[in-house]
Amino acid sequence: MEDPSIVEELHVHFALPPSTELPPDILGELCSILRLHSISPQELFYKWESYCLKMGSEETRLDLETAKAFKKDLQEILERETRSKAHARGADKRSTLGATPRSVSNNSDVFGMLDGLVPNTPRPGTKSWGAGSTSKRGAIFETPTTSRSHRGQATSSPAEFRTPNLPRENGPTVGQSTPFADRPNAGQTVESLNSHLSVPDPPLAPSPDSRVKLTANTDVKKFSYRPMAMHLSEASEVLDDRIDEFLILCQAYHSLEDTAFGNPASQSTSEIVAVGRIASDSWEGKLNTASLVLETSRRMGAGLRVPLRVDSLPSFEFFPGQIVALRGVNASGEYFSVKEILKFPLLPPAATLPPTLDLFNKSLCGGPDAMEEDQPRPLNILLSAGPYTADDNLSFEPLHAICSQASTTCADVVILIGPFLDIEHPLVASGDFDLPEETYIDPDTSSLTSVFRALIAAPLVSLANAIPNVHIILIPSVRDAISKHVSFPQERTPRKDLGLPKGANFLSNPVTISLNEIVIGISAQDILYELRREEVTRDPKETNPLARQPRHLIEQRHFFPLFPPVARELLPKTGTGSLATGAMLDTSYMKLGEWINVKPDVLITPSALAPFAKIVESVVVVNPGSLSKRKGPGTYAQLTIFPASVSEEERIRGKPVGHKIYERSRVDVLRI
């Protein structure tokens, strides 16, 4: 028998006018919910309002069916909360998955409930030092140790500066990584390109003037579009226009008449040239020779798809989304038999006028105050890609290490590619971690921006203090937790409140920049891994398979020519055990990833594939790997680019001179 006061309160909250009482069957269901969840009628009414908002308040009316659905929904929420609760002291478990990162000032968290359970992660100290000492420049980035004695409960990180393992009830236990300080083969060279070029010793002190002029060749303002607002009609037009653009390129390059092109889906005994997009006849399974189809544009083939027969081709390289020009015939009307693959023209190499090259060479001597006898010193560029810390901690020791290396070698440019705060990192995903007490962050206002400022911006500020004229370039990733722009192509992350130094700049993803005369294309998206997984090839003479994927990018004139991207469940598993983030492709804005006028001198494409540095179609392609792996240190790349040389004949001619970076640059892929 229910308490009459509870029944009366249920009538007040849930009875619909003009009725003042609930039907007995509905009243029984509501009373059952009260007993099951031990809540008051007032709290039940709040939950009912939330349920109506979720289901649609206009269509949701309280009857026996909706009462049972409401009861089932509450039960499912309770079960999810129970599964997601993290461990706590004794038998009193409280959920921590959605907790805000906590400052540990006075040894307490936001609510004072988890004191001492999760050790703090100290921030590297910032000491002042003389700019002329390379040993001091390196020492500023060394991981500090704690001298505080532990009293019963751990209130600071151990001397190795690692966050300990945190078992998860809703995912795999994070494995213990190798201590970063004990990493083997630190500084070992994994691969070298143009190793005959010797790397000079670093200068005794940083240059008093900047030796680099940084220019963004991409209009980063165009990346400020609204994500997750894609219209199918717009996406279709973008895909269709790309086919027609390549048709014009093919016609001009091969000097073909308009009559040479035709619709491959139409039955005809005449040989034609068909331009279209490679696709698969099935949404499931990997692309193969039996599932190849050619998707036409509305202009040339009414958007139809036709199966391809490539048995007569001695070699080919196909992947979904690739724009191709095929010569063949469709005699049966059932398939297009390919006899030849026509090549598209490559973009021209970047070039600069001789007087401009002379100015850049003079800046490499030390700026406008350089003496005539001073010799230009090669540019020193360090580049790395995230993640920047192992899965079991947020100490970011690899980031400190590369900043130390940049300071010691007096780097001119440091290129850091995301993710920085990786949403696939177990601790970031759970929110169960502490900030170092030195950050002085109010626990009531702390956010992921505070975490970035404390753990990532701090070593960058120290680097900028060590080398005042260094250029720090940051490229976001769709896996960055601080980025509100979640799709690719991706807007640059606003630097407000991030605490970055003056010489650090967030750019878009992807982006093309110029460092003096050197044109560099950068993309944080792992297109190489996805191309390797999706492509179908036949080339018995191939000797360099790692060069095949970058060549696709160069031939297609795009940072991400694959369409559709690889399904998330087919990508490498994350440290949290959940699905990988994936490409998050916004097809309507894919033109932002195109190469416009020239191909880059250097193409930087971080990937899960083995790190490498290669010359592909006169482009230096670098995959630096990730700076930190899940349970150990990773790799980074160092580019040493020597000054350009201009002959007298080229000066007299007065025309732009090709940069030939592939001849005058050395690339070393190194272990951090």
Side-chain angles (χ1 to χ4, degrees):
M1 188 69 179
E2 294 294 335
D3 188 342
S5 61
I6 293 179
V7 174
E8 180 63 27
E9 194 170 353
L10 287 174
H11 288 319
V12 172
H13 287 302
F14 290 92
L16 296 177
S19 175
T20 58
E21 292 185 356
L22 293 169
D25 51 355
I26 298 178
L27 180 63
E29 289 293 337
L30 296 180
C31 292
S32 174
I33 296 174
L34 293 180
R35 291 191 299 269
L36 182 64
H37 296 275
S38 299
I39 57 178
S40 65
Q42 179 73 44
E43 187 175 356
L44 180 63
F45 179 69
Y46 291 152
K47 292 182 181 294
W48 167 252
E49 288 187 323
S50 299
Y51 178 78
C52 290
L53 290 174
K54 181 170 68 174
M55 303 303 295
S57 57
E58 296 296 326
E59 295 80 19
T60 306
R61 294 291 183 268
L62 183 59
D63 53 27
L64 183 59
E65 183 178 355
T66 56
K68 291 181 178 179
F70 174 46
K71 180 179 180 181
K72 181 179 179 181
D73 183 76
L74 290 180
Q75 184 65 26
E76 290 175 350
I77 293 175
L78 178 63
E79 291 174 357
R80 284 198 300 269
E81 290 177 350
T82 302
R83 289 195 301 266
S84 63
K85 284 184 179 179
H87 69 291
R89 287 193 298 263
D92 184 19
K93 297 185 178 180
R94 293 178 174 87
S95 173
T96 59
L97 282 179
T100 303
R102 299 178 296 279
S103 174
V104 292
S105 301
N106 301 324
N107 298 333
S108 64
D109 55 82
V110 176
F111 303 103
M113 296 187 298
L114 300 175
D115 296 346
L117 287 181
V118 183
N120 313 328
T121 304
R123 183 185 65 175
T126 53
K127 302 177 181 178
S128 59
W129 47 274
S133 171
T134 58
S135 61
K136 291 183 179 180
R137 286 198 300 271
I140 195 172
F141 299 98
E142 291 180 358
T143 303
T145 58
T146 179
S147 59
R148 184 184 345 191
S149 60
H150 301 282
R151 300 180 179 89
Q153 294 178 339
T155 56
S156 62
S157 293
E160 293 86 353
F161 197 56
R162 298 192 309 276
T163 305
N165 293 351
L166 294 178
R168 307 290 169 196
E169 294 185 4
N170 198 27
T173 300
V174 181
Q176 181 70 37
S177 65
T178 304
F180 186 79
D182 300 336
R183 65 192 186 279
N185 305 320
Q188 181 186 39
T189 301
V190 177
E191 184 174 347
S192 286
L193 178 67
N194 290 337
S195 56
H196 62 280
L197 300 175
S198 58
V199 179
D201 295 331
L204 296 178
S207 174
D209 299 308
S210 176
R211 305 194 317 138
V212 176
K213 180 182 179 181
L214 172 63
T215 306
N217 300 334
T218 301
D219 188 356
V220 295
K221 294 181 180 179
K222 292 183 178 180
F223 288 75
S224 301
Y225 66 89
R226 186 175 63 176
M228 297 187 294
M230 181 172 59
H231 298 283
L232 291 179
S233 58
E234 295 177 358
S236 175
E237 290 177 1
V238 169
L239 295 173
D240 205 60
D241 292 345
R242 184 165 168 80
I243 297 176
D244 293 336
E245 291 168 1
F246 271 82
L247 186 147
I248 296 173
L249 289 174
C250 178
Q251 183 175 11
Y253 185 65
H254 294 280
S255 302
L256 298 173
E257 299 292 336
D258 291 342
T259 55
F261 298 91
N263 181 4
S266 299
Q267 181 178 2
S268 174
T269 56
S270 301
E271 188 176 83
I272 63 169
V273 174
V275 179
R277 177 181 293 103
I278 292 295
S280 175
D281 64 359
S282 173
W283 285 105
E284 298 180 355
K286 187 179 181 297
L287 184 70
N288 54 62
T289 55
S291 63
L292 279 172
V293 297
L294 185 69
E295 179 183 304
T296 62
S297 67
R298 283 171 287 190
R299 171 189 168 192
M300 296 302 299
L304 297 175
R305 287 184 171 189
V306 57
L308 296 179
R309 289 286 179 88
V310 294
D311 300 337
S312 60
L313 295 177
S315 63
F316 56 79
E317 299 172 356
F318 294 132
F319 63 88
Q322 180 184 14
I323 308 299
V324 294
L326 308 174
R327 190 189 301 274
V329 62
N330 186 353
S332 65
E334 297 180 356
Y335 60 86
F336 187 75
S337 180
V338 182
K339 298 181 179 179
E340 182 186 3
I341 302 176
L342 302 183
K343 295 292 185 180
F344 293 113
L346 301 180
L347 284 169
T352 304
L353 291 170
T356 307
L357 289 176
D358 292 338
L359 290 177
F360 289 141
N361 287 345
K362 187 174 182 180
S363 68
L364 295 180
C365 297
D369 299 330
M371 305 297 292
E372 290 291 336
E373 61 273 11
D374 291 343
Q375 295 297 318
R377 186 163 45 87
L379 277 180
N380 179 20
I381 303 174
L382 296 186
L383 65 97
S384 64
Y388 289 91
T389 189
D391 272 5
D392 70 334
N393 68 79
L394 287 176
S395 58
F396 287 91
E397 292 168 295
L399 178 61
H400 287 269
I402 196 170
C403 288
S404 175
Q405 181 67 13
S407 177
T408 302
T409 60
C410 290
D412 297 293
V413 181
V414 178
I415 301 176
L416 304 177
I417 305 172
F420 299 99
L421 288 178
D422 189 3
I423 58 176
E424 295 182 3
H425 191 288
L427 301 182
V428 175
S430 69
D432 189 8
F433 58 89
D434 294 309
L435 292 178
E437 58 186 14
E438 293 86 354
T439 57
Y440 306 109
I441 295 176
D442 184 359
D444 295 331
T445 61
S446 61
S447 64
L448 287 174
T449 303
S450 309
V451 179
F452 183 95
R453 185 169 59 248
L455 302 181
I456 296 175
L460 301 184
V461 170
S462 299
L463 174 59
N465 292 334
I467 310 178
N469 292 310
V470 67
H471 289 271
I472 304 174
I473 300 171
L474 299 99
I475 308 297
S477 165
V478 294
R479 289 165 51 184
D480 270 310
I482 63 168
S483 178
K484 296 181 180 179
H485 199 280
V486 297
S487 58
F488 179 91
Q490 185 179 14
E491 181 186 11
R492 61 180 176 178
T493 304
R495 59 176 298 154
K496 183 181 179 181
D497 300 328
L498 293 182
L500 293 173
K502 184 178 179 180
N505 294 283
F506 252 116
L507 300 179
S508 60
N509 172 32
V511 70
T512 302
I513 61 174
S514 289
L515 302 177
N516 293 345
E517 81 280 7
I518 308 161
V519 179
I520 301 179
I522 311 171
S523 175
Q525 200 63 40
D526 190 354
I527 180 61
L528 300 185
Y529 178 88
E530 297 196 31
L531 283 175
R532 169 66 70 89
R533 195 190 184 287
E534 292 296 312
E535 67 182 351
V536 53
T537 66
R538 179 196 295 164
D539 190 354
K541 299 180 180 179
E542 183 180 52
T543 58
N544 191 3
L546 278 179
R548 188 171 61 241
Q549 289 82 31
R551 186 166 58 248
H552 291 324
L553 274 63
I554 297 171
E555 292 176 347
Q556 296 289 297
R557 308 178 175 199
H558 205 285
F559 283 105
F560 200 95
L562 181 70
F563 183 84
V566 176
R568 296 174 61 194
E569 56 268 16
L570 301 179
L571 294 172
K573 298 298 182 182
T574 68
T576 61
S578 59
L579 292 179
T581 305
M584 310 292 287
L585 198 63
D586 197 315
T587 311
S588 300
Y589 293 90
M590 284 308 296
K591 288 189 71 67
L592 296 177
E594 289 183 349
W595 302 353
I596 305 301
N597 298 318
V598 297
K599 59 185 178 183
D601 298 313
V602 180
L603 177 61
I604 301 174
T605 57
S607 174
L609 300 179
F612 65 83
K614 296 189 179 298
I615 299 174
V616 183
E617 302 292 351
S618 301
V619 177
V620 178
V621 184
V622 184
N623 168 23
S626 57
L627 193 66
S628 177
K629 300 178 181 179
R630 290 185 181 176
K631 296 185 180 181
T635 57
Y636 69 100
Q638 180 176 6
L639 280 69
T640 307
I641 303 179
F642 291 80
S645 59
V646 183
S647 64
E648 288 299 324
E649 181 181 352
E650 291 171 332
R651 294 182 189 279
I652 295 173
R653 191 184 306 124
K655 293 184 178 181
V657 178
H659 300 159
K660 297 182 180 179
I661 300 298
Y662 58 90
E663 291 182 351
R664 55 186 179 96
S665 64
R666 170 173 175 155
V667 183
D668 295 295
V669 179
L670 307 165
R671 300 186 188 278
I672 189 62

